[in-house]
Amino acid sequence: MSQLYKNNVYVVNHPLVQHKLTLMRKQESSTNTFRRLLNEISMLMAYEVTADMPMQDIEIETPMEKTTGKVIDGKKLVFVSILRAGNGILEGMLSVVPGARVGHIGLYRDPKTLTAVEYYFKMPHDMDQRDIIVVDPMLATGNSAIAAVERLKELHPKSIKFVCLVGCPEGVNAMQKAHPDVPIYTAAIDRQLNDHGYIMPGLGDAGDRIFGTK
Ligand code: URA
């Protein structure tokens, strides 16, 4: 249940997703609660983003007779987590697609140039035969998402999608400008980015809230 916000940008407005996101936003939600909600909302986002995954027919036998059934090939799918907050989304996504592979990409913002600098990149092999879903809870400036997708495109994957929980017009526009071919799935597009690169009203620093580091 997602709504097209504009070209290739989908807002998942299912009541369960919206309800959980509201609880996550509350500043009094503990690390424990935040993590549990993130896990649950990630399963629901996985449900949406995989809705058009290719399926194949296989022959099976029920206790009654032979029949054909449809299956997806989870091994073809790679969840790529942008460190570190992306890792908060992985568990929920993997619980609904347990066969998926996982890649990690670490980027930090150079304080002088404000550009994204890669410090870690580990992907499964045969990326040219895989569909990628990049995960990061917040699409703020868009710099990390843009850099991650740029790097992943060098591996010529079959497709790339991007999933976040909260975006803002600045991040969505930047990402769309850089990668108009990459669909964005988000639970919300908030009002704006503030001067410190945080989304308003947002939910604060997703990494700190997931890992209890503040
Ligand atoms: N990263 C976060 O964790 N929160 C924001 O609001 C923006 C970027």
Side-chain angles (χ1 to χ4, degrees), residues 9 15 20 34 55 68 71 77 92 95 129 141-142 146 163 180 187 191:
V9 183
K20 289 175 198 301
F34 189 89
M55 289 185 292
T68 54
V71 288
L77 196 63
S95 62
Q129 292 162 39
T141 60
I146 290 167
V163 176
R191 190 180 70 247

Side-chain angles (χ1 to χ4, degrees), residues 5-95:
Y5 169 74
K6 60 172 171 171
N7 316 333
N8 245 357
V9 183
Y10 302 92
V11 177
V12 181
N13 51 17
H14 191 289
L16 283 171
V17 168
Q18 295 302 315
H19 178 91
K20 289 175 198 301
L21 178 61
T22 299
L23 300 182
M24 290 176 76
R25 289 183 189 274
K26 289 167 75 168
Q27 64 173 341
E28 65 267 32
S29 291
S30 65
T31 299
N32 186 358
T33 301
F34 189 89
R35 222 184 264 153
R36 178 181 51 78
L37 289 164
L38 179 58
N39 190 34
E40 292 167 1
I41 209 170
S42 301
M43 288 187 218
L44 298 166
M45 295 299 284
Y47 179 83
E48 283 289 328
V49 73
T50 56
D52 61 355
M53 265 183 85
M55 289 185 292
Q56 61 196 55
D57 287 338
I58 58 163
E59 296 281 322
I60 57 164
E61 249 178 89
T62 76
M64 311 306 288
E65 63 175 17
K66 283 190 179 168
T67 184
T68 54
K70 292 190 184 304
V71 288
I72 55 172
D73 188 354
K75 291 196 186 73
K76 294 264 165 63
L77 196 63
V78 184
F79 295 128
V80 172
S81 164
I82 301 182
L83 298 174
R84 69 181 164 151
N87 279 8
I89 296 184
L90 281 179
E91 195 181 328
M93 293 227 163
L94 285 170
S95 62

Side-chain angles (χ1 to χ4, degrees), residues 19 79 107 124 129 135 156 167 169-170:
H19 178 91
F79 295 128
L107 300 157
Q129 292 162 39
V135 299
H156 306 292
E170 294 86 341

